[in-house]
Amino acid sequence: MVTEFDRPIDRSNTSSLKWEKYNDTDVLPMWVADTDFMSPPAIAEALHERIDHGVFGYTNTPDELDTLVIERMQNLYGWTIEKDWLVWLPGLVCGLNLACRAVGETDDQVFSPKPVYPPFMSSPRLSQRQLVSVPLIENNNRWTLDLTALEAAITPESKLLLFCNPHNPGGAVYRREELEALADIAIKHDLVVCSDEIHCDLILEAGLKHIPLGSLNDDIAARSITLMAPSKTYNIAGLACSFAIIPDRQLRQQFLRQMKGIVPDVNLLGFTAAIAAYKDGDAWNAQQLDYLRRNRDYLVREINKIPGLKLAPIEATYLAWIDVSGAKLENPAHFFEQAGVGLSPGRDFGDDRFMRLNFGCRRELLEEAVNRIRRAILGELPA
Protein backbone atom coordinates (compact mmCIF):
# COMPACT_ATOMS: atom_id res chain seq x y z
CA MET A 1 0.00 0.00 0.00
CA VAL A 2 1.40 3.36 -1.06
CA THR A 3 1.18 6.02 1.65
CA GLU A 4 2.04 9.69 1.93
CA PHE A 5 5.38 8.60 3.38
CA ASP A 6 6.25 6.94 0.06
CA ARG A 7 5.97 10.27 -1.75
CA PRO A 8 9.32 11.47 -3.17
CA ILE A 9 10.16 14.93 -1.81
CA ASP A 10 12.79 16.84 -3.76
CA ARG A 11 15.04 18.48 -1.17
CA SER A 12 17.58 19.80 -3.65
CA ASN A 13 18.07 23.57 -3.71
CA THR A 14 16.61 23.88 -0.19
CA SER A 15 19.93 24.27 1.67
CA SER A 16 19.26 20.89 3.26
CA LEU A 17 22.16 19.90 5.51
CA LYS A 18 21.34 16.26 4.93
CA TRP A 19 21.13 16.32 1.14
CA GLU A 20 23.71 18.97 0.27
CA LYS A 21 26.50 16.97 1.89
CA TYR A 22 26.43 14.70 -1.16
CA ASN A 23 25.26 17.28 -3.68
CA ASP A 24 26.00 16.35 -7.31
CA THR A 25 27.03 12.81 -6.38
CA ASP A 26 25.27 9.46 -6.49
CA VAL A 27 25.44 8.99 -2.72
CA LEU A 28 22.20 8.43 -0.80
CA PRO A 29 22.21 10.56 2.39
CA MET A 30 21.26 8.28 5.27
CA TRP A 31 23.16 10.11 7.98
CA VAL A 32 21.94 13.12 10.00
CA ALA A 33 18.74 12.59 12.02
CA ASP A 34 16.02 14.29 10.09
CA THR A 35 13.45 12.43 8.01
CA ASP A 36 12.55 12.93 4.37
CA PHE A 37 8.85 13.07 5.21
CA MET A 38 6.73 16.15 4.69
CA SER A 39 5.65 17.54 8.06
CA PRO A 40 1.99 17.14 9.10
CA PRO A 41 -0.48 19.27 7.11
CA ALA A 42 -1.62 20.93 10.33
CA ILE A 43 1.84 22.40 10.78
CA ALA A 44 2.00 23.79 7.25
CA GLU A 45 -1.48 25.26 7.63
CA ALA A 46 -0.59 26.94 10.92
CA LEU A 47 2.59 28.39 9.43
CA HIS A 48 0.73 29.74 6.39
CA GLU A 49 -1.83 31.38 8.65
CA ARG A 50 0.88 32.99 10.78
CA ILE A 51 2.79 34.18 7.72
CA ASP A 52 -0.38 35.66 6.23
CA HIS A 53 -0.61 37.85 9.33
CA GLY A 54 2.52 39.53 7.99
CA VAL A 55 4.08 40.84 11.22
CA PHE A 56 7.06 38.98 12.67
CA GLY A 57 8.15 40.95 15.70
CA TYR A 58 9.57 39.90 19.05
CA THR A 59 7.45 37.10 20.47
CA ASN A 60 6.68 35.78 23.95
CA THR A 61 6.12 32.09 24.53
CA PRO A 62 2.43 31.49 23.69
CA ASP A 63 0.36 30.51 26.73
CA GLU A 64 -1.34 27.91 24.53
CA LEU A 65 1.97 26.11 23.99
CA ASP A 66 2.79 26.01 27.69
CA THR A 67 -0.67 24.56 28.34
CA LEU A 68 -0.28 21.95 25.60
CA VAL A 69 3.02 20.73 27.03
CA ILE A 70 1.63 20.60 30.58
CA GLU A 71 -1.40 18.63 29.37
CA ARG A 72 0.81 16.37 27.24
CA MET A 73 3.02 15.42 30.18
CA GLN A 74 -0.07 14.64 32.25
CA ASN A 75 -1.93 12.69 29.58
CA LEU A 76 1.00 10.64 28.26
CA TYR A 77 3.00 10.05 31.41
CA GLY A 78 0.85 10.99 34.39
CA TRP A 79 3.47 13.66 35.15
CA THR A 80 2.12 16.82 36.73
CA ILE A 81 4.39 19.73 35.83
CA GLU A 82 4.03 23.47 36.36
CA LYS A 83 4.34 26.30 33.87
CA ASP A 84 7.28 27.81 35.75
CA TRP A 85 9.27 24.61 35.20
CA LEU A 86 9.36 25.13 31.41
CA VAL A 87 12.34 26.81 29.77
CA TRP A 88 12.05 27.27 26.00
CA LEU A 89 15.18 26.82 23.93
CA PRO A 90 16.18 27.18 20.26
CA GLY A 91 17.60 23.66 20.24
CA LEU A 92 18.27 20.64 22.38
CA VAL A 93 22.05 20.74 21.92
CA CYS A 94 22.25 24.13 23.60
CA GLY A 95 20.30 22.54 26.47
CA LEU A 96 23.09 19.98 26.96
CA ASN A 97 25.70 22.75 26.99
CA LEU A 98 23.67 24.88 29.38
CA ALA A 99 23.26 21.95 31.76
CA CYS A 100 27.03 21.43 31.83
CA ARG A 101 27.57 25.11 32.66
CA ALA A 102 24.74 25.32 35.19
CA VAL A 103 25.85 22.38 37.34
CA GLY A 104 29.08 22.33 39.34
CA GLU A 105 32.24 24.30 38.71
CA THR A 106 35.21 24.33 36.33
CA ASP A 107 36.95 20.94 36.17
CA ASP A 108 34.09 19.08 37.83
CA GLN A 109 33.16 15.75 36.26
CA VAL A 110 30.31 15.18 33.83
CA PHE A 111 29.33 11.61 32.98
CA SER A 112 28.19 10.69 29.50
CA PRO A 113 27.19 7.36 27.94
CA LYS A 114 29.41 5.95 25.23
CA PRO A 115 28.56 5.49 22.41
CA VAL A 116 26.22 8.45 22.23
CA TYR A 117 25.12 11.42 20.14
CA PRO A 118 28.33 13.49 19.66
CA PRO A 119 27.25 16.70 21.53
CA PHE A 120 27.14 14.64 24.73
CA MET A 121 30.90 14.31 24.45
CA SER A 122 31.67 17.86 23.31
CA SER A 123 29.41 19.75 25.75
CA PRO A 124 31.43 19.01 28.92
CA ARG A 125 34.71 20.01 27.27
CA LEU A 126 33.22 23.22 25.89
CA SER A 127 32.03 23.99 29.42
CA GLN A 128 35.46 23.44 31.01
CA ARG A 129 34.28 20.24 32.66
CA GLN A 130 35.94 16.83 32.73
CA LEU A 131 34.21 14.28 30.51
CA VAL A 132 33.94 10.80 32.03
CA SER A 133 32.54 8.21 29.62
CA VAL A 134 30.36 5.39 30.92
CA PRO A 135 30.01 2.40 28.58
CA LEU A 136 26.81 0.93 27.31
CA ILE A 137 26.45 -2.80 27.84
CA GLU A 138 24.61 -5.20 25.56
CA ASN A 139 22.05 -7.34 27.33
CA ASN A 140 19.44 -9.34 25.39
CA ASN A 141 20.17 -7.31 22.25
CA ARG A 142 19.64 -3.99 24.07
CA TRP A 143 22.33 -1.38 24.59
CA THR A 144 21.84 0.35 27.96
CA LEU A 145 23.97 2.32 30.40
CA ASP A 146 26.29 0.26 32.61
CA LEU A 147 25.06 1.41 36.02
CA THR A 148 27.70 -0.60 37.86
CA ALA A 149 30.46 1.17 35.94
CA LEU A 150 28.75 4.52 36.52
CA GLU A 151 28.60 4.12 40.29
CA ALA A 152 32.17 2.84 40.47
CA ALA A 153 33.43 5.94 38.65
CA ILE A 154 31.75 8.51 40.93
CA THR A 155 34.10 10.81 42.88
CA PRO A 156 33.56 13.97 44.95
CA GLU A 157 34.06 15.95 41.70
CA SER A 158 31.18 14.14 39.96
CA LYS A 159 28.26 16.53 39.53
CA LEU A 160 26.25 15.75 36.39
CA LEU A 161 25.12 12.82 34.27
CA LEU A 162 24.05 13.35 30.68
CA PHE A 163 21.48 10.67 29.92
CA CYS A 164 19.68 9.72 26.69
CA ASN A 165 16.30 7.95 26.60
CA PRO A 166 15.39 6.60 24.09
CA HIS A 167 19.07 6.16 23.41
CA ASN A 168 20.76 7.60 20.33
CA PRO A 169 22.27 5.50 18.84
CA GLY A 170 20.96 2.04 19.60
CA GLY A 171 17.31 2.88 20.16
CA ALA A 172 16.87 1.37 23.63
CA VAL A 173 13.79 2.43 25.58
CA TYR A 174 14.62 2.33 29.29
CA ARG A 175 12.27 0.32 31.48
CA ARG A 176 10.90 1.65 34.76
CA GLU A 177 13.14 -0.55 36.89
CA GLU A 178 16.22 0.62 34.96
CA LEU A 179 15.25 4.24 35.44
CA GLU A 180 14.58 3.70 39.12
CA ALA A 181 18.03 2.14 39.56
CA LEU A 182 19.59 5.13 37.81
CA ALA A 183 17.58 7.54 39.93
CA ASP A 184 18.71 5.77 43.12
CA ILE A 185 22.35 6.25 42.12
CA ALA A 186 21.82 9.93 41.31
CA ILE A 187 20.08 10.59 44.62
CA LYS A 188 22.62 8.59 46.64
CA HIS A 189 25.59 10.42 45.14
CA ASP A 190 24.01 13.88 44.72
CA LEU A 191 24.18 13.89 40.91
CA VAL A 192 22.06 16.08 38.66
CA VAL A 193 20.77 14.23 35.58
CA CYS A 194 20.17 15.99 32.28
CA SER A 195 17.95 13.62 30.32
CA ASP A 196 17.72 14.00 26.53
CA GLU A 197 14.28 12.63 25.67
CA ILE A 198 13.90 14.13 22.20
CA HIS A 199 12.92 10.77 20.67
CA CYS A 200 10.18 10.09 23.24
CA ASP A 201 7.41 10.19 20.62
CA LEU A 202 9.16 7.69 18.35
CA ILE A 203 8.62 4.41 20.22
CA LEU A 204 8.50 1.60 17.65
CA GLU A 205 8.27 -1.54 19.75
CA ALA A 206 4.74 -2.62 20.65
CA GLY A 207 4.09 -2.71 24.37
CA LEU A 208 6.82 -0.25 25.30
CA LYS A 209 6.14 3.19 26.68
CA HIS A 210 8.41 6.15 27.28
CA ILE A 211 8.83 7.15 30.93
CA PRO A 212 10.42 10.54 31.64
CA LEU A 213 13.11 10.14 34.29
CA GLY A 214 11.86 13.23 36.12
CA SER A 215 8.38 11.73 36.44
CA LEU A 216 9.48 8.88 38.73
CA ASN A 217 9.34 10.72 42.05
CA ASP A 218 9.92 14.10 43.66
CA ASP A 219 13.49 13.29 44.68
CA ILE A 220 14.76 12.62 41.16
CA ALA A 221 12.60 15.43 39.76
CA ALA A 222 14.43 17.86 42.03
CA ARG A 223 17.77 16.93 40.41
CA SER A 224 16.60 16.55 36.82
CA ILE A 225 16.71 18.60 33.63
CA THR A 226 14.49 16.97 31.00
CA LEU A 227 15.03 18.01 27.38
CA MET A 228 12.28 17.46 24.79
CA ALA A 229 11.22 18.88 21.42
CA PRO A 230 8.77 18.26 18.59
CA SER A 231 11.60 18.54 16.06
CA LYS A 232 12.55 14.90 15.42
CA THR A 233 9.00 13.57 15.51
CA TYR A 234 7.42 16.09 13.15
CA ASN A 235 10.51 16.90 11.04
CA ILE A 236 10.69 20.56 12.08
CA ALA A 237 14.27 20.74 13.38
CA GLY A 238 14.92 23.74 11.11
CA LEU A 239 12.33 25.75 13.04
CA ALA A 240 14.41 25.50 16.21
CA CYS A 241 11.99 25.00 19.10
CA SER A 242 12.82 22.83 22.11
CA PHE A 243 12.23 22.98 25.84
CA ALA A 244 13.62 21.96 29.19
CA ILE A 245 11.56 20.87 32.19
CA ILE A 246 13.39 21.86 35.39
CA PRO A 247 11.28 21.39 38.55
CA ASP A 248 13.85 22.66 41.08
CA ARG A 249 13.82 26.45 41.33
CA GLN A 250 17.51 26.85 42.20
CA LEU A 251 18.64 24.54 39.41
CA ARG A 252 16.31 26.33 36.99
CA GLN A 253 17.74 29.72 37.97
CA GLN A 254 21.28 28.44 37.44
CA PHE A 255 20.24 27.19 33.99
CA LEU A 256 18.55 30.49 33.10
CA ARG A 257 21.58 32.45 34.30
CA GLN A 258 23.77 30.65 31.76
CA MET A 259 21.36 31.61 28.98
CA LYS A 260 21.46 35.36 29.56
CA GLY A 261 22.90 37.37 26.73
CA ILE A 262 23.89 34.27 24.76
CA VAL A 263 20.94 32.01 23.95
CA PRO A 264 18.39 33.61 21.61
CA ASP A 265 14.65 33.33 22.08
CA VAL A 266 12.70 30.75 20.10
CA ASN A 267 11.40 32.32 16.89
CA LEU A 268 7.69 32.79 16.38
CA LEU A 269 7.44 30.24 13.55
CA GLY A 270 9.05 27.63 15.78
CA PHE A 271 6.40 28.32 18.41
CA THR A 272 3.67 28.17 15.77
CA ALA A 273 4.84 24.80 14.46
CA ALA A 274 5.17 23.36 17.98
CA ILE A 275 1.60 24.36 18.84
CA ALA A 276 0.27 22.70 15.70
CA ALA A 277 2.38 19.58 16.30
CA TYR A 278 1.24 19.04 19.86
CA LYS A 279 -2.34 20.08 19.17
CA ASP A 280 -3.05 18.24 15.93
CA GLY A 281 -0.07 16.01 15.09
CA ASP A 282 -0.62 12.79 17.04
CA ALA A 283 -2.79 11.05 14.43
CA TRP A 284 -0.21 11.84 11.74
CA ASN A 285 2.57 10.52 13.98
CA ALA A 286 0.69 7.27 14.52
CA GLN A 287 0.77 6.75 10.74
CA GLN A 288 4.45 7.70 10.62
CA LEU A 289 5.25 5.17 13.35
CA ASP A 290 3.51 2.41 11.39
CA TYR A 291 5.64 3.28 8.37
CA LEU A 292 8.85 3.44 10.40
CA ARG A 293 8.09 0.07 11.99
CA ARG A 294 7.83 -1.51 8.55
CA ASN A 295 11.08 0.17 7.50
CA ARG A 296 12.76 -1.04 10.68
CA ASP A 297 11.56 -4.62 10.25
CA TYR A 298 12.75 -4.68 6.65
CA LEU A 299 16.12 -3.20 7.59
CA VAL A 300 16.82 -5.54 10.51
CA ARG A 301 15.88 -8.55 8.42
CA GLU A 302 17.96 -7.58 5.38
CA ILE A 303 21.06 -6.22 7.16
CA ASN A 304 21.38 -9.41 9.18
CA LYS A 305 21.50 -11.40 5.94
CA ILE A 306 24.63 -9.53 4.81
CA PRO A 307 27.92 -11.22 5.82
CA GLY A 308 29.92 -9.20 8.34
CA LEU A 309 27.04 -6.94 9.38
CA LYS A 310 24.79 -7.18 12.42
CA LEU A 311 21.81 -5.10 13.51
CA ALA A 312 20.13 -5.58 16.88
CA PRO A 313 16.41 -4.88 17.35
CA ILE A 314 15.50 -1.18 17.42
CA GLU A 315 12.96 -0.20 20.07
CA ALA A 316 12.71 3.48 19.21
CA THR A 317 13.95 6.26 16.87
CA TYR A 318 14.50 5.95 13.12
CA LEU A 319 18.23 5.35 13.58
CA ALA A 320 19.88 1.97 13.05
CA TRP A 321 23.17 1.21 14.85
CA ILE A 322 24.84 -1.31 12.55
CA ASP A 323 27.78 -3.40 13.75
CA VAL A 324 30.16 -3.52 10.77
CA SER A 325 33.13 -5.00 12.64
CA GLY A 326 32.68 -8.40 11.05
CA ALA A 327 33.28 -6.92 7.60
CA LYS A 328 36.86 -5.97 8.56
CA LEU A 329 36.69 -2.59 6.78
CA GLU A 330 39.67 -0.26 7.10
CA ASN A 331 37.57 2.89 6.71
CA PRO A 332 33.86 2.02 6.92
CA ALA A 333 32.53 5.52 6.21
CA HIS A 334 34.60 5.83 3.04
CA PHE A 335 33.76 2.27 1.98
CA PHE A 336 30.02 2.87 2.15
CA GLU A 337 30.25 6.29 0.50
CA GLN A 338 32.12 4.63 -2.36
CA ALA A 339 29.20 2.21 -2.51
CA GLY A 340 26.80 5.14 -2.79
CA VAL A 341 25.44 5.27 0.78
CA GLY A 342 26.28 8.10 3.19
CA LEU A 343 26.13 6.86 6.80
CA SER A 344 27.15 8.44 10.10
CA PRO A 345 30.56 7.09 11.22
CA GLY A 346 30.46 5.22 14.49
CA ARG A 347 33.70 6.90 15.58
CA ASP A 348 31.76 10.18 15.91
CA PHE A 349 29.62 8.47 18.55
CA GLY A 350 32.57 6.85 20.30
CA ASP A 351 32.66 3.38 18.71
CA ASP A 352 34.26 2.85 15.32
CA ARG A 353 32.92 -0.71 15.05
CA PHE A 354 29.54 0.70 14.05
CA MET A 355 27.80 2.90 11.50
CA ARG A 356 24.50 4.72 12.00
CA LEU A 357 21.82 4.64 9.31
CA ASN A 358 18.75 6.89 9.20
CA PHE A 359 15.76 4.90 7.94
CA GLY A 360 13.33 7.83 8.18
CA CYS A 361 12.87 7.83 4.43
CA ARG A 362 10.63 6.33 1.79
CA ARG A 363 10.93 2.57 1.39
CA GLU A 364 12.17 2.77 -2.20
CA LEU A 365 15.20 4.78 -1.07
CA LEU A 366 15.87 2.45 1.86
CA GLU A 367 15.75 -0.61 -0.37
CA GLU A 368 18.19 0.96 -2.80
CA ALA A 369 20.55 1.80 0.07
CA VAL A 370 20.41 -1.79 1.36
CA ASN A 371 21.03 -3.15 -2.12
CA ARG A 372 24.09 -0.91 -2.50
CA ILE A 373 25.41 -2.01 0.89
CA ARG A 374 24.85 -5.66 0.01
CA ARG A 375 26.59 -5.39 -3.35
CA ALA A 376 29.53 -3.57 -1.81
CA ILE A 377 30.01 -6.10 0.98
CA LEU A 378 29.73 -8.99 -1.44
CA GLY A 379 32.22 -7.37 -3.77
CA GLU A 380 29.70 -6.96 -6.54
CA LEU A 381 30.33 -3.29 -7.28
CA PRO A 382 31.10 -2.56 -10.93
CA ALA A 383 34.82 -2.33 -11.69
Side-chain angles (χ1 to χ4, degrees), residues 220-242:
I220 191 61
R223 56 183 63 256
S224 69
I225 298 169
T226 302
L227 302 177
M228 292 182 175
S231 53
K232 300 297 183 186
T233 306
Y234 304 100
N235 203 17
I236 52 175
L239 293 173
C241 181
S242 304

Side-chain angles (χ1 to χ4, degrees), residues 232-300:
K232 300 297 183 186
T233 306
Y234 304 100
N235 203 17
I236 52 175
L239 293 173
C241 181
S242 304
F243 60 93
I245 303 173
I246 312 176
D248 183 76
R249 183 178 182 278
Q250 181 178 349
L251 181 57
R252 189 169 62 250
Q253 289 302 316
Q254 292 167 203
F255 190 91
L256 290 166
R257 194 175 302 120
Q258 297 300 323
M259 294 175 62
K260 287 186 176 179
I262 298 174
V263 179
D265 294 332
V266 175
N267 74 82
L268 64 90
L269 296 182
F271 281 140
T272 300
I275 290 172
Y278 286 149
K279 190 176 181 181
D280 299 308
D282 285 342
W284 177 91
N285 187 40
Q287 296 175 355
Q288 176 183 230
L289 289 172
D290 285 341
Y291 193 87
L292 290 173
R293 287 184 187 106
R294 291 194 292 272
N295 273 3
R296 174 202 61 180
D297 294 345
Y298 164 80
L299 188 64
V300 171

